Amino acid sequence: MADHGLARLIAEHQRKTRDSYRDIAERGGDALKKTMVGALATTDRPAMPKPEVLEALAHALGLPVEQVTLAAAESAGHAVPPEVHVYRERVPDSDEQVIMAGYERLSPDKRKALLALVKSMADDV
């Protein structure tokens, strides 16, 4: 495995979810392919992916697109100003990843019900 930010995000996701490259690619939709996920995770200095690939990968990993974009830019060897490093360390814990992965499989009605539940519970905090 390569040792750069994007590879670490993918590996961390796999460790928490046991997802394969294929699982990640399927969750990302048409813009993401299994070989692409594998290359991003194992190539020492991958090329900067296209925006649609970054969005699909962020969706598949359950991470903000800004965090995935930053990791990809650093992995490709681009200098990233320190002020944008706010996204570097934030990786959702396993509970958040399970919730986000489950959300993707819900029907629109169930998504509305879940949103209402979360809003009501957040108001109690």
Side-chain angles (χ1 to χ4, degrees), residues 98-118:
V98 168
I99 290 167
M100 292 183 327
Y103 179 82
E104 297 300 320
R105 291 175 277 198
L106 296 176
S107 69
D109 288 340
K110 289 183 179 180
R111 287 182 182 190
K112 285 181 186 177
L114 179 60
L115 179 60
L117 175 64
V118 169

PDB file of all heavy atoms in Angstrom, residues 98-118:
ATOM      1  N   VAL A  98     -21.361   3.748   9.290  1.00  0.00           N
ATOM      2  CA  VAL A  98     -22.491   2.818   9.173  1.00  0.00           C
ATOM      3  C   VAL A  98     -23.774   3.594   8.901  1.00  0.00           C
ATOM      4  O   VAL A  98     -24.567   3.223   8.030  1.00  0.00           O
ATOM      5  CB  VAL A  98     -22.629   1.956  10.451  1.00  0.00           C
ATOM      6  CG1 VAL A  98     -23.946   1.208  10.470  1.00  0.00           C
ATOM      7  CG2 VAL A  98     -21.461   0.992  10.567  1.00  0.00           C
ATOM      8  N   ILE A  99     -23.975   4.694   9.628  1.00  0.00           N
ATOM      9  CA  ILE A  99     -25.174   5.511   9.433  1.00  0.00           C
ATOM     10  C   ILE A  99     -25.210   6.067   8.010  1.00  0.00           C
ATOM     11  O   ILE A  99     -26.240   5.995   7.328  1.00  0.00           O
ATOM     12  CB  ILE A  99     -25.238   6.651  10.472  1.00  0.00           C
ATOM     13  CG1 ILE A  99     -25.517   6.067  11.865  1.00  0.00           C
ATOM     14  CG2 ILE A  99     -26.288   7.692  10.092  1.00  0.00           C
ATOM     15  CD1 ILE A  99     -25.302   7.048  12.999  1.00  0.00           C
ATOM     16  N   MET A 100     -24.092   6.614   7.545  1.00  0.00           N
ATOM     17  CA  MET A 100     -24.068   7.212   6.211  1.00  0.00           C
ATOM     18  C   MET A 100     -24.246   6.152   5.127  1.00  0.00           C
ATOM     19  O   MET A 100     -24.954   6.383   4.142  1.00  0.00           O
ATOM     20  CB  MET A 100     -22.790   8.014   6.018  1.00  0.00           C
ATOM     21  CG  MET A 100     -22.809   9.240   6.934  1.00  0.00           C
ATOM     22  SD  MET A 100     -21.463  10.436   6.878  1.00  0.00           S
ATOM     23  CE  MET A 100     -20.011   9.596   6.500  1.00  0.00           C
ATOM     24  N   ALA A 101     -23.637   4.982   5.300  1.00  0.00           N
ATOM     25  CA  ALA A 101     -23.797   3.915   4.312  1.00  0.00           C
ATOM     26  C   ALA A 101     -25.241   3.417   4.308  1.00  0.00           C
ATOM     27  O   ALA A 101     -25.815   3.145   3.245  1.00  0.00           O
ATOM     28  CB  ALA A 101     -22.838   2.772   4.611  1.00  0.00           C
ATOM     29  N   GLY A 102     -25.857   3.295   5.489  1.00  0.00           N
ATOM     30  CA  GLY A 102     -27.240   2.859   5.569  1.00  0.00           C
ATOM     31  C   GLY A 102     -28.199   3.866   4.974  1.00  0.00           C
ATOM     32  O   GLY A 102     -29.196   3.499   4.346  1.00  0.00           O
ATOM     33  N   TYR A 103     -27.907   5.134   5.148  1.00  0.00           N
ATOM     34  CA  TYR A 103     -28.747   6.208   4.617  1.00  0.00           C
ATOM     35  C   TYR A 103     -28.890   6.085   3.100  1.00  0.00           C
ATOM     36  O   TYR A 103     -29.970   6.289   2.554  1.00  0.00           O
ATOM     37  CB  TYR A 103     -28.149   7.567   4.992  1.00  0.00           C
ATOM     38  CG  TYR A 103     -28.930   8.745   4.471  1.00  0.00           C
ATOM     39  CD1 TYR A 103     -30.052   9.206   5.146  1.00  0.00           C
ATOM     40  CD2 TYR A 103     -28.556   9.394   3.311  1.00  0.00           C
ATOM     41  CE1 TYR A 103     -30.777  10.286   4.673  1.00  0.00           C
ATOM     42  CE2 TYR A 103     -29.274  10.469   2.828  1.00  0.00           C
ATOM     43  CZ  TYR A 103     -30.383  10.917   3.513  1.00  0.00           C
ATOM     44  OH  TYR A 103     -31.101  11.976   3.040  1.00  0.00           O
ATOM     45  N   GLU A 104     -27.810   5.725   2.445  1.00  0.00           N
ATOM     46  CA  GLU A 104     -27.816   5.618   0.986  1.00  0.00           C
ATOM     47  C   GLU A 104     -28.794   4.559   0.500  1.00  0.00           C
ATOM     48  O   GLU A 104     -29.287   4.628  -0.611  1.00  0.00           O
ATOM     49  CB  GLU A 104     -26.410   5.268   0.471  1.00  0.00           C
ATOM     50  CG  GLU A 104     -25.378   6.327   0.763  1.00  0.00           C
ATOM     51  CD  GLU A 104     -25.731   7.657   0.141  1.00  0.00           C
ATOM     52  OE1 GLU A 104     -26.216   7.673  -1.001  1.00  0.00           O
ATOM     53  OE2 GLU A 104     -25.526   8.686   0.804  1.00  0.00           O
ATOM     54  N   ARG A 105     -29.090   3.581   1.327  1.00  0.00           N
ATOM     55  CA  ARG A 105     -29.972   2.482   0.917  1.00  0.00           C
ATOM     56  C   ARG A 105     -31.439   2.722   1.280  1.00  0.00           C
ATOM     57  O   ARG A 105     -32.295   1.916   0.950  1.00  0.00           O
ATOM     58  CB  ARG A 105     -29.490   1.174   1.532  1.00  0.00           C
ATOM     59  CG  ARG A 105     -28.159   0.720   0.904  1.00  0.00           C
ATOM     60  CD  ARG A 105     -27.646  -0.471   1.596  1.00  0.00           C
ATOM     61  NE  ARG A 105     -26.957   0.050   2.771  1.00  0.00           N
ATOM     62  CZ  ARG A 105     -26.089  -0.608   3.486  1.00  0.00           C
ATOM     63  NH1 ARG A 105     -25.819  -1.830   3.222  1.00  0.00           N
ATOM     64  NH2 ARG A 105     -25.494  -0.056   4.509  1.00  0.00           N
ATOM     65  N   LEU A 106     -31.729   3.819   1.964  1.00  0.00           N
ATOM     66  CA  LEU A 106     -33.102   4.099   2.385  1.00  0.00           C
ATOM     67  C   LEU A 106     -33.937   4.683   1.246  1.00  0.00           C
ATOM     68  O   LEU A 106     -33.420   5.396   0.392  1.00  0.00           O
ATOM     69  CB  LEU A 106     -33.109   5.089   3.547  1.00  0.00           C
ATOM     70  CG  LEU A 106     -32.473   4.630   4.851  1.00  0.00           C
ATOM     71  CD1 LEU A 106     -32.482   5.770   5.867  1.00  0.00           C
ATOM     72  CD2 LEU A 106     -33.184   3.417   5.408  1.00  0.00           C
ATOM     73  N   SER A 107     -35.220   4.402   1.301  1.00  0.00           N
ATOM     74  CA  SER A 107     -36.156   5.017   0.347  1.00  0.00           C
ATOM     75  C   SER A 107     -36.304   6.499   0.710  1.00  0.00           C
ATOM     76  O   SER A 107     -35.987   6.902   1.834  1.00  0.00           O
ATOM     77  CB  SER A 107     -37.514   4.327   0.447  1.00  0.00           C
ATOM     78  OG  SER A 107     -38.119   4.635   1.694  1.00  0.00           O
ATOM     79  N   PRO A 108     -36.798   7.314  -0.210  1.00  0.00           N
ATOM     80  CA  PRO A 108     -37.003   8.735   0.106  1.00  0.00           C
ATOM     81  C   PRO A 108     -37.888   8.954   1.343  1.00  0.00           C
ATOM     82  O   PRO A 108     -37.614   9.836   2.150  1.00  0.00           O
ATOM     83  CB  PRO A 108     -37.651   9.301  -1.160  1.00  0.00           C
ATOM     84  CG  PRO A 108     -37.140   8.413  -2.256  1.00  0.00           C
ATOM     85  CD  PRO A 108     -37.059   7.041  -1.640  1.00  0.00           C
ATOM     86  N   ASP A 109     -38.933   8.143   1.497  1.00  0.00           N
ATOM     87  CA  ASP A 109     -39.805   8.297   2.669  1.00  0.00           C
ATOM     88  C   ASP A 109     -39.065   7.977   3.964  1.00  0.00           C
ATOM     89  O   ASP A 109     -39.230   8.666   4.972  1.00  0.00           O
ATOM     90  CB  ASP A 109     -41.041   7.402   2.547  1.00  0.00           C
ATOM     91  CG  ASP A 109     -42.025   7.908   1.509  1.00  0.00           C
ATOM     92  OD1 ASP A 109     -41.952   9.115   1.160  1.00  0.00           O
ATOM     93  OD2 ASP A 109     -42.862   7.112   1.054  1.00  0.00           O
ATOM     94  N   LYS A 110     -38.256   6.948   3.927  1.00  0.00           N
ATOM     95  CA  LYS A 110     -37.495   6.587   5.122  1.00  0.00           C
ATOM     96  C   LYS A 110     -36.420   7.631   5.428  1.00  0.00           C
ATOM     97  O   LYS A 110     -36.124   7.897   6.585  1.00  0.00           O
ATOM     98  CB  LYS A 110     -36.885   5.200   4.977  1.00  0.00           C
ATOM     99  CG  LYS A 110     -37.924   4.095   5.049  1.00  0.00           C
ATOM    100  CD  LYS A 110     -37.299   2.730   4.979  1.00  0.00           C
ATOM    101  CE  LYS A 110     -38.383   1.658   5.088  1.00  0.00           C
ATOM    102  NZ  LYS A 110     -37.813   0.311   5.028  1.00  0.00           N
ATOM    103  N   ARG A 111     -35.851   8.235   4.386  1.00  0.00           N
ATOM    104  CA  ARG A 111     -34.875   9.309   4.600  1.00  0.00           C
ATOM    105  C   ARG A 111     -35.530  10.496   5.302  1.00  0.00           C
ATOM    106  O   ARG A 111     -34.954  11.077   6.214  1.00  0.00           O
ATOM    107  CB  ARG A 111     -34.261   9.760   3.278  1.00  0.00           C
ATOM    108  CG  ARG A 111     -33.277   8.775   2.700  1.00  0.00           C
ATOM    109  CD  ARG A 111     -32.681   9.301   1.420  1.00  0.00           C
ATOM    110  NE  ARG A 111     -31.770   8.328   0.855  1.00  0.00           N
ATOM    111  CZ  ARG A 111     -30.956   8.581  -0.150  1.00  0.00           C
ATOM    112  NH1 ARG A 111     -30.924   9.776  -0.709  1.00  0.00           N
ATOM    113  NH2 ARG A 111     -30.162   7.635  -0.609  1.00  0.00           N
ATOM    114  N   LYS A 112     -36.748  10.847   4.875  1.00  0.00           N
ATOM    115  CA  LYS A 112     -37.480  11.948   5.512  1.00  0.00           C
ATOM    116  C   LYS A 112     -37.757  11.635   6.978  1.00  0.00           C
ATOM    117  O   LYS A 112     -37.600  12.492   7.851  1.00  0.00           O
ATOM    118  CB  LYS A 112     -38.796  12.219   4.782  1.00  0.00           C
ATOM    119  CG  LYS A 112     -38.649  12.932   3.475  1.00  0.00           C
ATOM    120  CD  LYS A 112     -40.020  13.161   2.842  1.00  0.00           C
ATOM    121  CE  LYS A 112     -39.902  13.744   1.464  1.00  0.00           C
ATOM    122  NZ  LYS A 112     -41.217  13.908   0.831  1.00  0.00           N
ATOM    123  N   ALA A 113     -38.151  10.399   7.249  1.00  0.00           N
ATOM    124  CA  ALA A 113     -38.439   9.994   8.628  1.00  0.00           C
ATOM    125  C   ALA A 113     -37.171  10.042   9.479  1.00  0.00           C
ATOM    126  O   ALA A 113     -37.200  10.519  10.623  1.00  0.00           O
ATOM    127  CB  ALA A 113     -39.044   8.592   8.655  1.00  0.00           C
ATOM    128  N   LEU A 114     -36.068   9.589   8.915  1.00  0.00           N
ATOM    129  CA  LEU A 114     -34.809   9.624   9.658  1.00  0.00           C
ATOM    130  C   LEU A 114     -34.374  11.060   9.929  1.00  0.00           C
ATOM    131  O   LEU A 114     -33.943  11.392  11.036  1.00  0.00           O
ATOM    132  CB  LEU A 114     -33.717   8.880   8.890  1.00  0.00           C
ATOM    133  CG  LEU A 114     -32.339   8.855   9.540  1.00  0.00           C
ATOM    134  CD1 LEU A 114     -32.384   8.192  10.916  1.00  0.00           C
ATOM    135  CD2 LEU A 114     -31.340   8.144   8.636  1.00  0.00           C
ATOM    136  N   LEU A 115     -34.516  11.923   8.949  1.00  0.00           N
ATOM    137  CA  LEU A 115     -34.168  13.331   9.112  1.00  0.00           C
ATOM    138  C   LEU A 115     -35.003  13.965  10.221  1.00  0.00           C
ATOM    139  O   LEU A 115     -34.478  14.692  11.071  1.00  0.00           O
ATOM    140  CB  LEU A 115     -34.348  14.088   7.798  1.00  0.00           C
ATOM    141  CG  LEU A 115     -34.040  15.578   7.823  1.00  0.00           C
ATOM    142  CD1 LEU A 115     -32.603  15.828   8.226  1.00  0.00           C
ATOM    143  CD2 LEU A 115     -34.331  16.183   6.456  1.00  0.00           C
ATOM    144  N   ALA A 116     -36.301  13.674  10.237  1.00  0.00           N
ATOM    145  CA  ALA A 116     -37.175  14.219  11.280  1.00  0.00           C
ATOM    146  C   ALA A 116     -36.749  13.711  12.659  1.00  0.00           C
ATOM    147  O   ALA A 116     -36.729  14.481  13.632  1.00  0.00           O
ATOM    148  CB  ALA A 116     -38.631  13.839  11.002  1.00  0.00           C
ATOM    149  N   LEU A 117     -36.388  12.451  12.740  1.00  0.00           N
ATOM    150  CA  LEU A 117     -35.927  11.883  14.008  1.00  0.00           C
ATOM    151  C   LEU A 117     -34.647  12.557  14.482  1.00  0.00           C
ATOM    152  O   LEU A 117     -34.535  12.964  15.638  1.00  0.00           O
ATOM    153  CB  LEU A 117     -35.710  10.374  13.857  1.00  0.00           C
ATOM    154  CG  LEU A 117     -35.113   9.657  15.063  1.00  0.00           C
ATOM    155  CD1 LEU A 117     -36.058   9.718  16.253  1.00  0.00           C
ATOM    156  CD2 LEU A 117     -34.788   8.221  14.708  1.00  0.00           C
ATOM    157  N   VAL A 118     -33.686  12.703  13.582  1.00  0.00           N
ATOM    158  CA  VAL A 118     -32.410  13.338  13.949  1.00  0.00           C
ATOM    159  C   VAL A 118     -32.638  14.781  14.385  1.00  0.00           C
ATOM    160  O   VAL A 118     -32.074  15.230  15.390  1.00  0.00           O
ATOM    161  CB  VAL A 118     -31.397  13.254  12.789  1.00  0.00           C
ATOM    162  CG1 VAL A 118     -30.180  14.124  13.054  1.00  0.00           C
ATOM    163  CG2 VAL A 118     -30.984  11.811  12.538  1.00  0.00           C
TER     164      VAL A 118
END
